[in-house]
Structure formats: C-alpha cells, structure tokens
C-alpha cells in the first residue's frame, strides 16, 4: 500500500518495492532513502518541508533528519540551489560543495640544454565533500608525448583550444564512476609530458612562445608551483589542505648557471613576498635532518615543504649565464666521434 506523506506541493507518494519497504525506516539508511525520494519528487524543496515530512513519516527527531540531510549534501547526492532550496544534483543551477584534500603534490622538471624539458607530476588526493566527475589539466606551453594514469577508471578527451596565449588544448579526464565523498578513498594521479622551448637558457633570450617579452631582461629563470587548489570545475567551499609539497628541478650537467635560490609570494603578485614563510623554509632542513627545506645537490634543486600555505607561489629560480658562456658550454658538449678501435695484427690473422 502506498504511503502518503505531507509535502510543500501536496502529498509525497512513495511506491516502494519490498526492498524499499525494509529501508524506509528510522535507520540512517532508511532516512537517506526517504530524503532522496522526497527531494526527487519535490525539486526545490525547503529545508523545513523536507525535515517535517521525514519526521512525520519515519517518526525520528528533527536533529537526526537534519544530520542525514547535511550528509547527503556533503556526499553530493543532493544539491542546494542559490535560493537555499534542495534539489537533485543534476538540476539546473544546483551547486554541491566540493572539498578536496591533498596529502602529496610532487612536481619534477628535468631541463634539457635547448630549453625544452620533461615534466612529471604526482598527486594523492581524496574527495571530502561532494562528487568530482572531471579533472582538467592546463599546460604552461606547447607540449607533446603526454603520459597519464589515475588509480580510478578514467577517460581522456581534449577540449577545444582556448583563447589564451599560447593557444593550447585542455585535457579533461572524466571519472566513471565519479569520485565521491561517500567513499573518501585516496586517489593517485601520475602524469608526464615533454615541454617544448620551456625555459630561457641565457640572459636576454626569449622563448618562441613567450607572452611576456619583458622577461628577457631578467637575469633569472624559474620554475614554480602555485597552491590554488586542484583544477576541478565547480570547486567551492573551504580550501584544500596540502600536507606535503615537493618541487624538483634538474638542470643539465655542467650547465653554467649562476647560483640558485627560492622565494615565496602571493599567487599572481610577485611583489607580495611572504617573508615569514621563506624564513620557515630556511629552518626546515635543519629541523628535518636534511629531508625538507631548500636542498641543493650539484645542478639538482629540491624545495620540500610540509604544510605549505594556500594562495602562495613557491618558486625555485637560478641565475642565467650570458650568451657567450652558454654557447661555450654547448660547444663543449659537441665532442668528436671516437674512431672504433682497430683490430690488432693477432686479431686480423685469426691466430
């Protein structure tokens, strides 16, 4: 027999199967099933109407219903409209809070002698609120040979080239099924690609794809990572937490760079230097036994930072050689081919 429950737009009629009859009770599962059915039958429901219907139909307290309703929004099973009413997540203008927690972000750049580079990224993250169905990847410049892997089933499609310069396609990864806060499992991303003409290799150089010609006057080149959150469409809510950030930079062996250091500034504003964060990083190596901080080993630099700040750009930079110094280094790499060893007289005679 169908059960009639009060609602804003008239009675809510549930026609459960035998399995549903067992679940539509005062248990957490039963409350969830009731709330999902009610909101789908009454899109744009008010909080008061949903809670009243569940309390009357399941004979549970308002606080219990409110708690389960909050969990469904957190899991992305229900969404809140701009007017504060509840709706299925696929409804137009529906918004579900999305919160991502990252426990590791590792970025490695291996620079080649011509300014091209190999880039590799590793991330470990999980969804704490909402559902994530897509992950978009933007590139700093022209690239090729993209390699990628997610620990969940994923498909890649290329979005049309954007209007920004340089005009590059955007890689969009689709999770099937979507990542959900209900699982809260750790997800791993590993991806790499070759970057073309990524860096200036001497003072005064300008990369063919540079959009800022004034950068040619800088005696430094740099690699940086900005903590603005994962590039996931629809992300909202509190910022993500990133317990460990590592930036690895490897310059060519023997490359005549002029020293290396690091800096921290606000994302998008190099003039706002975070002196306090920089001072903390200076002391990290001493306090971590040489694992964290700014580490230099020959032409390899590592910036390893536990609990980095959000809305900060972490930069590793190095001094560029002059053009004559760079060209002399290139010439030193052009070694003449070695002649193959001549067989000895004993070898020729077969003795």
């Amino acid at each position: 027999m169908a059960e009639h429950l009060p609602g804003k737009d008239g009675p809510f009629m549930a026609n459960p199967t035998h399995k549903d009859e067992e679940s539509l009770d005062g248990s957490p599962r039963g409350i969830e099933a009731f709330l999902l059915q009610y909101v789908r039958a009454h899109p744009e429901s008010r909080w008061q109407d949903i809670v009243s219907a569940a309390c009357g139909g399941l004979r549970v307290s308002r606080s219990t219903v409110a708690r389960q309703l909050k969990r469904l929004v957190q899991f992305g099973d229900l969404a809140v409209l701009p007017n504060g009413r509840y709706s299925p997540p696929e409804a137009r203008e529906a918004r579900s809070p999305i919160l991502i927690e990252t426990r590791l972000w590792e970025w490695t750049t291996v620079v080649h002698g011509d300014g091209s580079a190999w880039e590799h990224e590793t991330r470990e993250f999980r969804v704490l609120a909402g559902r994530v169905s897509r992950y978009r990847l933007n590139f700093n410049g022209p690239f090729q040979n993209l390699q990628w892997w997610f620990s969940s089933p994923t498909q890649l499609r290329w979005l049309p080239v954007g209007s920004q310069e340089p005009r590059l396609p955007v890689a969009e990864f689709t999770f099937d099924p979507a990542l959900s806060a209900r699982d809260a499992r750790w997800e791993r991303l590993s991806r790499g690609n070759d970057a073309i003409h990524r860096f200036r290799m001497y003072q005064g150089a300008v990369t063919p794809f540079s959009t800022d010609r004034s950068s040619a006057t800088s005696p430094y080149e740099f690699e940086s990572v900005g903590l603005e959150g994962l590039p996931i469409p629809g992300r909202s809510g509190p910022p993500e937490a990133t317990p460990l950030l590592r930036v690895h930079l490897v310059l060519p062996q023997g490359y005549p760079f002029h020293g290396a250091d690091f800096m921290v500034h606000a994302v998008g504003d190099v003039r706002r230097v975070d002196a306090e964060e920089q001072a903390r990083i200076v002391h990290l190596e001493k306090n971590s036994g040489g694992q964290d901080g700014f580490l230099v080993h020959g032409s390899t630099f590592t910036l390893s930072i536990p609990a980095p700040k959000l809305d900060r750009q972490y930069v590793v930079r190095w001094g560029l050689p002059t053009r004559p110094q760079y060209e002399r280094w290139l010439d030193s790499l052009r070694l003449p081919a070695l002649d193959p060893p001549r067989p000895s007289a004993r070898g020729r005679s077969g003795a």
Side-chain angles (χ1 to χ4, degrees):
M1 178 177 178
E3 182 178 9
H4 296 269
L5 303 172
K8 176 177 74 72
D9 301 316
F12 166 50
M13 180 173 291
N15 293 297
T17 63
H18 178 69
K19 182 178 180 181
D20 292 328
E21 288 175 349
E22 294 178 346
S23 64
L24 290 177
D25 53 26
S27 67
R29 251 182 106 178
I31 299 173
E32 280 192 5
F34 179 95
L35 294 174
L36 290 172
Q37 290 189 29
Y38 182 90
V39 172
R40 289 197 174 276
H42 298 80
E44 298 195 34
S45 300
R46 296 186 306 171
W47 183 89
Q48 300 94 319
D49 297 327
I50 300 172
V51 174
S52 296
C55 290
L58 302 177
R59 295 182 175 86
V60 292
S61 67
R62 293 174 66 87
S63 61
T64 298
V65 176
R67 184 167 58 250
Q68 295 300 324
L69 185 60
K70 181 179 179 181
R71 282 169 53 85
L72 289 175
V73 173
Q74 176 188 348
F75 294 155
D77 296 326
L78 294 179
V80 181
L81 299 172
N83 59 9
R85 301 194 176 195
Y86 291 79
S87 191
E90 63 273 12
R92 187 178 180 182
E93 296 186 352
R95 54 183 174 86
S96 296
I98 298 177
L99 177 61
I100 305 297
E101 179 186 12
T102 302
R103 66 179 177 185
L104 174 66
W105 186 9
E106 196 159 20
W107 181 269
T108 301
T109 304
V110 180
V111 183
H112 305 312
D114 62 354
S116 62
W118 179 77
E119 302 174 330
H120 187 267
E121 174 187 15
T122 298
R123 287 193 194 232
E124 292 182 359
F125 63 94
R126 64 178 176 176
V127 181
L128 295 183
R131 291 185 178 184
V132 174
S133 59
R134 300 184 306 278
Y135 182 106
R136 286 184 180 175
L137 182 62
N138 296 288
F139 296 88
N140 295 320
F143 65 94
Q144 60 186 9
N145 301 326
L146 175 65
Q147 305 166 22
W148 60 273
W149 178 83
F150 279 94
S151 51
S152 291
T154 313
Q155 292 184 346
L156 167 65
R157 74 184 183 106
W158 293 98
L159 301 182
V161 173
S163 59
Q164 74 279 2
E165 294 292 341
R167 297 170 64 86
L168 301 171
V170 175
E172 182 177 84
F173 301 92
T174 303
F175 300 110
D176 186 17
L179 305 182
S180 171
R182 188 178 289 275
D183 298 325
R185 65 180 181 273
W186 289 105
E187 178 72 26
R188 188 176 181 88
L189 156 67
S190 177
R191 68 99 178 173
N193 62 268
D194 292 315
I196 304 171
H197 298 295
R198 177 80 164 77
F199 297 101
R200 296 180 303 130
M201 298 303 288
Y202 58 87
Q203 296 179 32
V206 178
T207 62
F209 305 99
S210 174
T211 59
D212 182 10
R213 296 283 163 171
S214 64
S215 65
T217 62
S218 172
Y220 296 100
E221 186 59 288
F222 64 91
E223 178 65 291
S224 66
V225 173
L227 294 181
E228 296 179 278
L230 292 174
I232 296 175
R235 183 182 183 275
S236 60
E240 67 176 32
T242 309
L244 184 58
L245 168 69
R246 287 198 187 103
V247 182
H248 304 284
L249 177 73
V250 183
L251 296 179
Q253 186 69 30
Y255 173 68
F257 65 95
H258 296 306
D261 60 7
F262 74 95
M263 64 182 300
V264 183
H265 60 77
V267 170
D269 189 353
V270 296
R271 296 168 297 180
R272 291 178 53 196
V273 175
D274 191 332
E276 181 181 354
E277 179 70 349
Q278 290 185 173
R280 181 177 77 94
I281 295 173
V282 169
H283 292 90
L284 281 175
E285 181 179 1
K286 183 187 304 181
N287 300 330
S288 67
Q291 291 190 105
D292 297 320
F294 183 57
L295 312 174
V296 179
H297 301 285
S299 59
T300 299
F301 318 123
T302 299
L303 191 57
S304 180
I305 310 166
K309 287 186 177 180
L310 293 168
D311 301 319
R312 294 293 183 271
Q313 197 86 12
Y314 290 85
V315 181
V316 176
R317 66 176 187 173
W318 63 97
L320 291 170
T322 64
R323 181 167 183 169
Q325 289 173 326
Y326 171 66
E327 290 178 345
R328 283 197 296 271
W329 172 70
L330 283 182
D331 288 338
S332 71
L333 300 180
R334 302 189 183 106
L335 299 176
L338 296 176
D339 291 332
R342 296 181 179 179
S344 64
R346 180 182 298 272
R348 286 199 303 269
S349 63

